[in-house]
């Protein structure tokens, strides 16, 4: 049985609403923004399991094509196709069908240059495709990668997810589909610590940067191992990340960390008005 942690109020429950408020079984579609094909699995694998067990659907948006992910020159011209086959096999092992794996087809180490609607040369950026996918799948929740000191592609996809997802809910660019209703956002880490911003704003210890977690049993972690090992071409790149997963073990099971955040925080005038009124 999964357990869910709120680090800010120091509670643990078996209620998925801890990480996905107002959860509606049978009517939830969760998009995971994955900079590279294996990132969503490494950083949000527990979400993949628990969403499906709670009547939700997972859609993986893979932004970069993996063209730089070869460890020997003889794979240079075939690595993209190899990784696509591995991706389908790996996510299928976790219950995700091929139709729910979406490729955004950006080159590795180049996602930053695709942020936005129109690029300086006149081509379209990533925003229209993001709108089409979120609206076309009627996405209700979004997970984005850590935007703090991981990888330039991770930072770029973090910004795409944090900003473009909110705009997809607005009545703009309607040729890209009817606006969707995204109810909540989570940020996940692939390997680096999160920004301390959320902790500092909440008055929490700066070393407790995540504010949510999922705890799953050993069997779930072992199942995720099996899926990750489908990425045979990436073994040299991810073997240390797999090894480091042993650090996730707690007395209650294995832990995966997130930051729940408001992607469109409203400016609160009340404290300012209060100061002005009392000067």
């Amino acid at each position: 049985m999964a357990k869910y942690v709120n680090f800010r109020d120091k509670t643990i429950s078996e209620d998925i609403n801890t990480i996905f408020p107002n959860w509606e079984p049978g009517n939830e579609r969760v998009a995971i923004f994955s900079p590279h094909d294996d990132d969503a699995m490494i950083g949000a694998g527990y979400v993949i399991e628990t969403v499906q067990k709670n009547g939700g659907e997972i859609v993986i948006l893979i932004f970069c094509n993996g063209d730089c992910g070869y460890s020997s020159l003889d794979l240079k011209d075939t690595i993209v196709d190899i990784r696509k086959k591995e991706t389908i096999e790996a996510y299928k092992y976790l219950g995700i069908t091929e139709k729910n794996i979406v490729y955004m087809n950006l080159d590795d180490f180049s996602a930053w240059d695709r942020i936005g609607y129109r690029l300086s040369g006149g081509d379209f950026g990533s925003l229209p495709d993001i709108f089409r996918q979120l609206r076309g799948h009627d996405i209700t929740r979004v997970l984005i990668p850590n935007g703090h000191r991981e990888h330039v592609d991770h930072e770029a996809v973090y910004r795409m997810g944090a900003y473009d997802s909110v705009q997809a809910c607005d009545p703009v660019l309607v040729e890209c589909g009817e606006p969707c209703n995204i109810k909540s956002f989570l940020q996940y880490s692939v390997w680096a610590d999160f920004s301390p911003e959320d902790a500092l704003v909440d008055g929490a210890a700066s070393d407790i940067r995540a504010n949510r977690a999922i705890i799953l049993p050993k069997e779930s972690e072992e199942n995720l191992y099996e899926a990750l090992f489908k990425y045979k071409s990436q073994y040299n790149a991810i073997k240390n990340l797999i090894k480091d997963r042993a650090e996730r073990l707690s007395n209650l099971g294995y832990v995966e960390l997130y930051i729940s955040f408001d992607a469109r925080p409203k400016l609160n005038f009340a404290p300012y008005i209060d100061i002005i009124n009392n000067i």
Side-chain angles (χ1 to χ4, degrees):
M1 176 70 72
K3 293 180 173 59
Y4 307 95
V5 183
N6 182 327
F7 287 108
R8 296 296 178 253
D9 62 16
K10 294 183 172 60
T11 58
I12 299 178
S13 76
E14 295 179 356
D15 186 355
I16 195 173
N17 286 279
T18 300
I19 61 165
F20 291 122
N22 303 311
W23 182 260
E24 300 178 65
N27 193 34
E28 299 281 1
R29 289 155 299 281
V30 180
I32 304 179
F33 281 52
S34 189
H36 308 95
D37 42 27
D38 51 5
D39 290 327
M41 189 175 297
I42 294 170
Y46 291 8
V47 164
I48 290 173
E49 175 175 324
T50 197
V51 162
Q52 293 181 105
K53 286 186 175 180
N54 283 272
E57 182 179 357
I58 293 285
V59 177
I60 308 291
L61 303 183
I62 299 171
F63 281 78
C64 296
N65 59 21
D67 61 342
C68 293
Y70 51 91
S71 299
S72 60
L73 284 176
D74 61 319
L75 295 177
K76 182 176 181 179
D77 296 330
T78 58
I79 191 63
V80 172
D81 289 336
I82 289 172
R83 290 183 69 160
K84 281 189 175 181
K85 292 176 183 176
E86 291 173 342
T87 294
I88 291 169
E89 186 178 358
Y91 284 105
K92 181 181 179 181
Y93 192 85
L94 297 180
I96 299 174
T97 61
E98 187 174 350
K99 72 179 180 63
N100 278 14
I101 302 172
V102 178
Y103 293 93
M104 307 300 278
N105 296 315
L106 309 183
D107 291 333
D108 282 2
F109 299 104
S110 305
W112 195 271
D113 292 335
R114 306 299 296 183
I115 295 175
Y117 176 59
R118 283 281 191 181
L119 307 180
S120 58
D123 292 337
F124 285 108
S126 59
L127 185 144
D129 281 343
I130 291 172
F131 273 33
R132 291 186 188 98
Q133 295 303 329
L134 295 180
R135 291 172 171 179
H137 287 94
D138 195 18
I139 295 300
T140 60
R141 317 279 178 167
V142 166
L143 269 76
I144 63 174
N146 183 11
H148 186 64
R149 301 182 180 179
E150 276 195 353
H151 186 293
V152 66
D153 289 334
H154 295 208
E155 290 193 19
V157 175
Y158 161 81
R159 290 183 177 272
M160 293 173 186
Y163 298 108
D164 296 355
S165 297
V166 177
Q167 297 292 333
C169 300
D170 294 336
V172 297
L173 290 176
V174 293
E175 70 272 21
C176 295
E178 291 291 323
C180 50
N181 178 29
I182 299 172
K183 297 187 285 185
S184 66
F185 295 80
L186 288 177
Q187 185 180 169
Y188 68 91
S189 170
V190 180
W191 68 77
D193 201 356
F194 297 102
S195 164
E197 178 185 358
D198 184 83
L200 294 173
V201 169
D202 281 352
S206 62
D207 60 337
I208 307 299
R209 300 182 181 186
N211 59 28
R212 299 291 188 276
I214 297 176
I215 304 174
L216 289 180
K218 180 181 179 181
E219 294 76 21
S220 295
E221 178 66 10
E222 290 176 343
N223 192 59
L224 194 55
Y225 276 150
E226 292 299 317
L228 284 168
F229 281 121
K230 305 295 183 186
Y231 282 104
K232 294 181 175 63
S233 72
Q234 300 306 297
Y235 179 74
N236 287 334
I238 66 175
K239 62 182 179 182
N240 287 333
L241 292 178
I242 295 174
K243 179 182 177 182
D244 289 346
R245 295 183 71 89
E247 299 173 4
R248 297 169 175 242
L249 182 60
S250 73
N251 290 337
L252 297 179
Y254 286 82
V255 178
E256 190 165 83
L257 301 172
Y258 320 92
I259 291 179
S260 174
F261 70 99
D262 185 350
R264 183 175 273 173
K266 186 179 185 299
L267 177 58
N268 180 12
F269 278 86
Y272 302 96
I273 300 302
D274 185 60
I275 291 173
I276 291 171
N277 288 344
N278 287 281
I279 291 175

